[in-house]
Amino acid sequence: MGACCSVNESAKGEGHTKHGPENAKCEDDKVQRKNLETKSNVPEIATKPPRAIPFAVMRNCHEVIRAAISECDTALEDNNHHVLTQGFASLTRCIETHAKMEENGFFPLVGDYFGGAHTKAGLAELHVTDEKLTKELTKALYDGDMEEAKIKYKAWKEHHLLHLKKEEEVMMP
């Protein structure tokens, strides 16, 4: 048995129960030994800068929005006015924050470095239409008119999914 690892006797050599930096036979200990040699408690991998992935934050939020839309779909199918109203209110708050990030961060970046591709594609106008459709759906929900809400939700959802797709095509080609 090596100096650093003690084998769990009941497991008859199936696994390690203790690791130490002096065991040259344990692959898991190479990074730990290096960290001790450099007197660092931070694993080597954590000291490397993250790989830049432009617009990953935007795309991740789009996936959250799509998942929330799916939850609203279920509430609508179940004819559950309360769950749909609450779910759409939460979704709306998420979208409002996301739109601010786009308008104040992503769009100016695209404008400055990519020849205004967002303007040419009409992305800002998508936000205007989205706000209009959101207000119409919200009114129907708060009026308690589930039939009108279903009509408004269908229009809102169709537009919003197209909105997400168009942004991704322009900003993440």
Side-chain angles (χ1 to χ4, degrees):
M1 184 177 346
C4 110
C5 297
S6 62
V7 176
N8 182 337
E9 294 300 322
S10 64
K12 301 204 184 280
E14 292 177 13
H16 295 81
T17 58
K18 178 181 175 186
H19 286 78
E22 60 275 12
N23 183 2
K25 295 179 184 176
C26 292
E27 289 296 317
D28 294 340
D29 293 330
K30 287 183 179 180
V31 171
Q32 187 177 359
R33 277 195 316 280
K34 184 172 182 170
N35 289 340
L36 285 175
E37 291 167 5
T38 61
K39 299 187 186 316
S40 170
N41 291 326
V42 179
E44 178 182 13
I45 192 81
T47 61
K48 294 181 180 177
R51 186 173 71 107
I53 304 173
F55 304 110
V57 170
M58 182 190 78
R59 176 59 191 217
N60 288 343
C61 193
H62 283 192
E63 292 307 316
V64 169
I65 291 167
R66 285 183 176 99
I69 288 171
S70 179
E71 291 177 9
C72 288
D73 288 347
T74 300
L76 193 66
E77 289 166 12
D78 294 343
N79 209 35
N80 191 329
H81 180 266
H82 177 74
V83 171
L84 178 59
T85 301
Q86 295 303 311
F88 190 71
S90 293
L91 176 55
T92 299
R93 285 190 301 276
C94 173
I95 291 170
E96 287 170 353
T97 301
H98 178 70
K100 287 177 186 175
M101 289 173 26
E102 288 176 339
E103 292 165 359
N104 298 314
F106 296 123
F107 292 172
L109 180 68
V110 171
D112 291 347
Y113 293 97
F114 300 100
H118 68 298
T119 303
K120 293 173 187 169
L123 297 185
E125 289 81 15
L126 291 173
H127 286 194
V128 173
T129 302
D130 193 59
E131 288 175 24
K132 176 186 172 284
L133 294 172
T134 298
K135 285 179 185 176
E136 291 174 1
L137 173 54
T138 300
K139 181 181 182 324
L141 288 169
Y142 283 99
D143 286 349
D145 187 344
M146 196 63 167
E147 292 309 310
E148 183 69 10
K150 287 178 181 180
I151 293 166
K152 298 297 184 184
Y153 179 79
K154 182 180 178 190
W156 174 87
K157 177 184 170 183
E158 183 179 302
H159 167 77
H160 203 79
L161 291 175
L162 180 66
H163 170 158
L164 298 177
K165 183 179 180 195
K166 191 165 186 179
E167 284 181 347
E168 290 163 2
E169 288 171 353
V170 171
M171 297 171 74
M172 299 178 71

